[in-house]
Structure formats: structure tokens, C-alpha cells
Amino acid sequence: MFTCAIAKTVMPACDPTRLSARIPAAGRSPTVAAKYCGSCNPHYDAAAAVRKISSLAGVSIHHWNAAYLPDICILVKQCQSDCFPEPERFSNWCSLLVEKPEEVRRTAEKLKRLIARQDNL
């Protein structure tokens, strides 16, 4: 299983043995979307965190939509509640969990490596 270093969360959807059929085809950029928790922390601007990740990674990040799962989903938590108990169900390929503003830069770097397919999942 892949352990997301950003959030130290085990994510079965990133298990390389199960991923091969779900990895976007070569030549097609992976789709990326953001899903937010309940926004219970007014001191943490989750939308600003996603804008910063988008800027640092050089990729467009759309709002998550259950009707169209993205290849990669950025899950943004703002507290210790377990809003995303099954992070793998929010994407077709891999989900990255961001819990604190300090994780934005590492998340952007991870996202860049995933998109470039330079990351060993």
C-alpha cells in the first residue's frame, strides 16, 4: 500500500498492483479536483491552500463532482474530524490529503511528480 507522506494516511487506491488499469493513458494529463471538508476552521482558508497548490504545481484544479471522479483528488481537511474515512473513493487514481497549511508545498511537489509520472506509487 502507498502511504501518503503528506498526511501519513494509508490509501489503498494508491496500491500499485491495483492502479495499473486506472492510471491515465500516456499523453493524457490526469484530471485534478479538490474536495473540501465541512470548513469548520475559520482560521484555515482551504480555498487559498488549493489555489497555492495549483499555482506551485502548475496545474488546474477543479471542484470535485461525484458525477465525474478525477484521476487525482486533493482532499482538504481543516480539523481532526474524519471527514474522509475512505480517501480512495474520491478519485480514480490517487487522493492526497492536506490537513494543515504547512503541507501545501509538499502536496504541490507530490502532485507535480504524480502528473509527470515520476513518483513511485
Side-chain angles (χ1 to χ4, degrees):
M1 289 208 189
F2 171 77
T3 303
C4 180
I6 296 161
K8 298 173 185 67
T9 303
V10 175
M11 297 184 186
C14 293
D15 179 349
T17 61
R18 292 174 38 200
L19 260 180
S20 58
R22 295 173 15 170
I23 293 175
R28 180 175 78 76
S29 296
T31 56
V32 183
K35 178 151 178 64
Y36 303 90
C37 67
S39 300
C40 59
N41 184 351
H43 303 292
Y44 177 22
D45 187 346
V50 170
R51 285 192 301 273
K52 182 77 170 178
I53 291 167
S54 176
S55 173
L56 291 170
V59 65
S60 293
I61 299 176
H62 305 282
H63 289 284
W64 184 84
N65 181 336
Y68 179 74
L69 289 181
D71 296 315
I72 301 169
C73 187
I74 309 294
L75 300 171
V76 185
K77 284 182 63 175
Q78 295 176 285
C79 69
Q80 297 303 313
S81 294
D82 195 12
C83 294
F84 306 115
E86 299 174 18
E88 67 275 4
R89 73 183 187 106
F90 297 103
S91 68
N92 284 322
W93 187 23
C94 191
S95 295
L96 301 175
L97 189 61
V98 181
E99 294 182 301
K100 299 180 262 187
E102 299 82 29
E103 297 170 344
V104 165
R105 188 167 301 279
R106 287 182 290 174
T107 303
E109 290 301 317
K110 176 78 172 173
L111 182 57
K112 281 194 323 195
R113 289 191 309 271
L114 286 170
I115 290 171
R117 293 176 177 79
Q118 296 174 348
D119 207 348
N120 291 330
L121 288 176

